[in-house]
Amino acid sequence: MVSKKRIDYGFNGFRVPVIPKGPRSARRRGVFKKANQDDEACAFELLALAGMLLQESESSASSNASEGNHQPAFGQGVIEQEKHDEVKPIITDNILRGSCGESQFRTEVAMQNCTQKSVLDANADCLQGCISANNNFDCRRKAGADVKSEICEWDNKFQHYSNRLVEAPENFRESCDVNVNNGFRQEKEANSSGFQGSNSADKSSTKNQLELNMSRTLIDSNSNAKSPLYRKYFSIASYSKHGNGNKLGVRDDDEKFLRCSKVCTKSKTFRSPQRIAHRRIRKHLFSKHWKVAPNLKDCELSRSDMGAQLLYRKRKICQSFERSEHKIRVKRRKFFDRVSGVTSDGGFSSESVSNSPEKGMDNPKDPHVKFSIKTIRIPELYFEVPETATIGSLKSTIMETVMTILGGGAHVGVLLQGKKVRDDNRTLVQTGISCKESLDNLSFELEPSSLLDSAAACVGDPPSQCETSQPAGSPETPVIDSEITDTLHESSLLTNPGNLVESNHDSMTSPTDPTVDKESLDCRALVVVPASTDALAVVPFSQKSKRSECAQRRTRRPFSVTEVEALVRAVEELGTGRWRDVKFRAFENAEHRTYVDLKDKWKTLVHTAKISPQQRRGEPVPQELLDRVLAAHAYWSQHQAKQHGGKTLKITETSSAETEKPSIEAVVQSQPLVML
DNA sequence: GTTAGGG
DNA sequence: CCCTAAC
């Protein structure tokens, strides 16, 4: 279990545990306790090495950039490592973390234990090639390369290398020596001379040179970390080798690897543990990350399947890796959404789309892509509310407008990287929406029906909904339907005081029944499903059901003080039974105010004037206006029967003649209201 | 189509 | 603000 734990640990981020300074602490930690897990131990160490190799590869990429090729002695056709600006496999990324802390320590240890280096160095190269190829799989896959053939290539190299390792360990050792002395950029020479089979005549001299150079490079690495590659190398040596006279007292720990090292150094049994180690490594690599063919034969038998699975698993890795980051991204995005508020998409768009890859990808034959829309952005809506408006009223105002728009009829649009995908017959795979990367660039949009070229979009809708069509994104008149046009029209007017008499004193406060808001939500176009469900979170109602089952309620628009004043003045002039005239006189251009609305408002004004100020809600109406309301109400209640058939002026004259209200008429005459 | 009144 | 009877 310990070994497994270690393996997991390595895979969980390749945080190679810091080797304790003393055997006791090492034992206490139980990090390297078990000695009968040699294979796993080797695998682990190799994985750790792989991490450092990769680290080296990255760091040397910059320092040795001018040197050209710095690939390991893995073969002539080693796939070039791409830059890392793209999504990297999790294994690579995590490798880079935490493996440096003890490398120094290992370097010191390795000074005295370098004889076994070649064996594990071979493994290291294998792993380097493996992971390098692994990286390239992902990158190339994204670039559209033939990954399958690359996989085969990698496999061939692996096989070839393994055979070399078995057949000519001495030659390979020399090649490793060269590498150690000169670094990765010497790999070509290593391949041509040592690896391909050089005479091992001055093997001893090579060895001496090796040790000499190791000492030197140790200094180098100690001084300025010029060659982390060597640290990497030494580190492996320290893991595999466990000499006596270990000054640093890690013998205890190293002995845990004694069996492994012993086995590995025997030429007869050399093959098997190495194979096992390879296989283990591969197995773990695959099982942990790819869950694919555990050995070469399997790979050879079905390369294509392997390629597919590799791709699939690799994608899975990336997805699982990205998921955590994606959460952060989503959070940030949510935050930004709240801050920014207004956008210019010209429609509703889901700003964050996520999926659940691990479940949806379980069956490669019929993968499912799950979506959940976590935020909805509402663009192109402008509100102007007084400073005294409550948060609740603001919410209500926004909610009502949103619901009005949604109720006006919307269709779901799919945008990939900001571009609309119009072909409804294409599959997700064909469109490229089946992978996680594209999901990040996927968004949904609620398109207003009037924007659709399809005539069906307007079926059953009033003609005005089609007439009001305007380009989405137009800041002035984003159009969903006539109702919304109306709403937004006024809203834009409100920002334009010159167009509206009531500009500066408008109130969006809700002075009346708050339950209206709740009622208005009952039959809206969107049903937001709780995020816990897996289904698409936003389910648009069909227009037909909406239209037939629930006629759309108009946006609630509380009367402003200005409007109240105009209404009072008109009623004072015209009386309470001529709402059509009142409409034409004072609200002719206010299309959203019907004479029924004016009548209702007068009714509520009378009621408001009769109740105590504490009972009143909404934006306060000046008491002076309310007094006039009561006076006019009383007057016209008395004179209701006397005003038929007369013009305003005549009535006024009559009224003034009969009653005591000449001043009212004077005011009305002198200041006719013009409402837009 | 308007008015009036209840909801 | 909606609904609708009544006109």
Side-chain angles (χ1 to χ4, degrees), chain A residues 460-479:
Chain A
D461 289 335
S464 59
Q465 292 193 9
C466 296
E467 296 167 6
T468 55
S469 202
Q470 296 245 350
S474 167
E476 287 301 316
T477 53
V479 175

Side-chain angles (χ1 to χ4, degrees), chain A residues 387-457:
Chain A
E387 292 179 349
T388 56
T390 63
I391 296 297
S393 68
L394 177 62
K395 289 178 180 177
S396 299
T397 301
I398 296 174
M399 194 63 175
E400 284 170 5
T401 307
V402 168
M403 288 307 176
T404 301
I405 290 178
L406 297 184
H411 293 252
V412 176
V414 177
L415 295 93
L416 190 58
Q417 291 180 331
K419 295 181 179 179
K420 282 190 180 182
V421 181
R422 297 187 178 277
D423 191 350
D424 292 339
N425 295 324
R426 294 173 67 185
T427 64
L428 295 182
V429 176
Q430 290 171 337
T431 316
I433 303 181
S434 55
C435 60
K436 185 67 179 66
E437 298 90 280
S438 59
L439 281 173
D440 280 339
N441 298 320
L442 180 66
S443 62
F444 297 106
E445 181 182 51
L446 290 182
E447 302 170 327
S449 59
S450 59
L451 295 181
L452 299 181
D453 47 2
S454 166

Side-chain angles (χ1 to χ4, degrees), chain A residues 7-189:
Chain A
I7 293 292
D8 288 340
Y9 186 54
F11 274 107
N12 278 338
F14 275 90
R15 287 184 179 81
V16 182
V18 175
I19 300 176
K21 296 290 183 180
R24 277 186 185 177
S25 58
R27 259 190 246 106
R28 245 196 333 266
R29 293 180 45 158
V31 177
F32 300 137
K33 254 181 180 175
K34 280 210 170 182
N36 57 348
Q37 307 282 351
D38 295 331
D39 298 330
E40 284 79 0
C42 288
F44 175 75
E45 308 313 328
L46 290 170
L47 288 172
L49 171 65
M52 284 178 281
L53 279 168
L54 282 174
Q55 189 178 14
E56 159 64 19
S57 173
E58 283 216 335
S59 59
S60 62
S62 54
S63 59
N64 290 346
S66 58
E67 309 284 349
N69 189 0
H70 54 273
Q71 295 289 335
F74 191 76
Q76 61 281 2
V78 174
I79 302 167
E80 259 191 27
Q81 189 97 346
E82 294 190 12
K83 296 301 177 186
H84 302 287
D85 52 351
E86 293 198 55
V87 177
K88 292 191 301 180
I90 182 171
I91 181 173
T92 317
D93 195 73
N94 286 333
I95 279 173
L96 301 180
R97 303 190 197 116
S99 57
C100 298
E102 70 202 286
S103 59
Q104 186 61 41
F105 171 77
R106 292 181 189 171
T107 302
E108 295 168 5
V109 175
M111 276 191 67
Q112 309 162 40
N113 309 294
C114 60
T115 57
Q116 302 296 327
K117 60 175 176 47
S118 60
V119 174
L120 288 176
D121 215 18
N123 287 297
D125 287 338
C126 272
L127 277 171
Q128 165 69 12
C130 167
I131 299 176
S132 174
N134 173 27
N135 289 337
N136 281 282
F137 287 163
D138 199 55
C139 298
R140 303 219 169 197
R141 178 181 60 82
K142 295 177 66 178
D146 185 5
V147 187
K148 194 194 299 182
S149 62
E150 293 183 5
I151 294 171
C152 296
E153 185 183 6
W154 177 81
D155 247 352
N156 290 331
K157 287 173 183 173
F158 195 99
Q159 183 67 64
H160 172 78
Y161 185 78
S162 300
N163 294 336
R164 289 277 182 177
L165 200 60
V166 174
E167 296 163 5
E170 292 300 314
N171 291 340
F172 176 75
R173 193 171 304 167
E174 287 188 12
S175 75
C176 289
D177 293 346
V178 176
N179 281 331
V180 169
N181 288 330
N182 301 291
F184 274 158
R185 50 195 169 88
Q186 293 288 337
E187 61 162 330
K188 285 182 178 177
E189 302 166 22

